[in-house]
Amino acid sequence: MSSTSIVSSPPKLVVANWKMHGSLLRNQQLIEAYLQGLRSITRAEVVVCVPYPYLAQMTDLLSGTSVAWGAQNVAKYEEGAYTGEVGAQMLKDFGATHVIIGHSERSTAYCESDENIAEKFMMAKRYGLTPILCVGETLLEREAGVMERVVGKQLETIIRLFGGEAFANTIVSYEPIWAIGTGLAASSEQAVAMHEFIRHTVATADKTAAGTVKILYGGSVNPQNAVQLLNQKEIDGALVGRCSLDAEQFIKICQAVPENSVI
């Protein structure tokens, strides 16, 4: 007779990406609602990535809590005559622990190359920040069946420049560009297949790194699809955009993190 046992699964990571939203008052209200709702949630680790001007506010609101904070971009340079850029050490000065790298809303609008994104990725690592590398394909690329080639190229640029070990203790977020902001998320089957491909790609370069990298799903995550997505063992968490601006919806997404798994 076979038997099943209940085992604890590792906590999953839920990252709030506020994008270009916020005000001092609105942020305070949102964070207070986050903290209230998270009191009863033990299985989700939470990071809030905010616009640069609000990093100081996050140090006031989140210091001493279980919620970490970070930024949505970082310069590939340490310092210098780069007007408008923000360096990794500057983020560290405000307690940031994470930074989003290569989000499609930036890479498309500002024509960032894979090489440019790779340099930002490594700059974050050099300063002890955890990079959240966003990768994904357009609808045309998915319909053409080249989504793995596209995502693979984004990962392999970092591997080629810095080696597979660069992915150790970092985060990759699979964000199908065709899903972002549309309300239409990838199916759990599509997400799992890409997550498996991402981990395999990293493992081919460095097996140890592949065992420590967290792979999140992003792209119109909401309370309804989070239940199915976050219950997939291949999915280590979620990068949440629009729904992170609504405390009730964000808390429901965090509540979707499973308490345990059955084997």
Side-chain angles (χ1 to χ4, degrees):
M1 177 183 296
S2 63
S3 62
T4 61
S5 59
I6 306 296
V7 298
S8 291
S9 56
K12 298 202 175 189
L13 178 66
V14 182
V15 180
N17 175 17
W18 287 1
K19 306 189 180 186
M20 199 178 75
H21 295 284
S23 70
L24 291 174
L25 177 59
R26 183 179 178 187
N27 298 348
Q28 182 173 349
Q29 293 171 337
L30 190 53
I31 290 296
E32 288 175 352
Y34 274 15
L35 295 176
Q36 177 68 27
L38 289 169
R39 287 180 180 176
S40 61
I41 299 174
T42 60
R43 298 302 299 162
E45 297 178 348
V46 175
V47 177
V48 181
C49 290
V50 303
Y52 292 139
Y54 300 125
L55 286 171
Q57 185 186 25
M58 293 303 108
T59 67
D60 292 334
L61 297 177
L62 293 174
S63 292
T65 74
S66 61
V67 178
W69 61 96
Q72 300 169 12
N73 186 38
V74 68
K76 66 179 181 180
Y77 308 104
E78 291 189 65
E79 61 179 356
Y82 305 108
T83 302
E85 292 292 311
V86 174
Q89 182 57 58
M90 297 175 183
L91 302 183
K92 293 280 288 184
D93 283 346
F94 289 92
T97 56
H98 293 69
V99 59
I100 297 172
I101 306 287
H103 194 287
S104 63
E105 290 168 353
R106 283 200 55 83
S107 60
T108 300
Y110 301 101
C111 302
E112 287 193 278
S113 66
D114 291 339
E115 288 76 13
N116 192 63
I117 290 168
E119 290 181 20
K120 290 183 175 185
F121 181 93
M122 286 306 297
M123 183 58 68
K125 288 208 70 179
R126 289 189 190 109
Y127 278 85
L129 294 166
T130 300
I132 304 171
L133 175 71
C134 296
V135 298
E137 79 285 356
T138 66
L139 181 59
L140 287 176
E141 288 164 342
R142 173 159 284 275
E143 290 177 340
V146 297
M147 57 277 187
E148 290 186 353
R149 187 188 310 169
V150 171
V151 171
K153 179 176 177 290
Q154 294 168 325
L155 299 170
E156 287 159 6
T157 299
I158 292 175
I159 293 169
R160 172 172 54 83
L161 293 175
F162 304 109
E165 63 271 18
F167 283 98
N169 300 305
T170 64
I171 300 168
V172 176
S173 180
Y174 170 54
E175 294 214 320
I177 296 171
W178 48 270
I180 297 172
T182 66
L184 176 66
S187 68
S188 58
E189 292 80 12
Q190 289 172 323
V192 165
M194 187 59 78
H195 281 232
E196 290 177 335
F197 170 76
I198 291 169
R199 197 172 299 279
H200 173 74
T201 300
V202 175
T204 299
D206 191 296
K207 289 184 179 179
T208 301
T212 63
V213 64
K214 289 183 180 290
I215 307 176
L216 313 183
Y217 174 78
S220 293
V221 179
N222 59 47
Q224 291 70 44
N225 57 43
V227 174
Q228 188 172 25
L229 289 165
L230 292 176
N231 273 274
Q232 306 299 322
K233 63 182 179 61
E234 296 86 358
I235 298 177
D236 297 321
L239 179 58
V240 185
R242 179 172 52 191
C243 285
S244 70
L245 301 172
D246 183 309
E248 182 178 357
Q249 292 190 69
F250 185 70
I251 294 303
K252 286 181 179 178
I253 291 170
C254 294
Q255 289 172 335
V257 173
E259 288 292 330
N260 48 48
S261 60
V262 179
I263 60 171

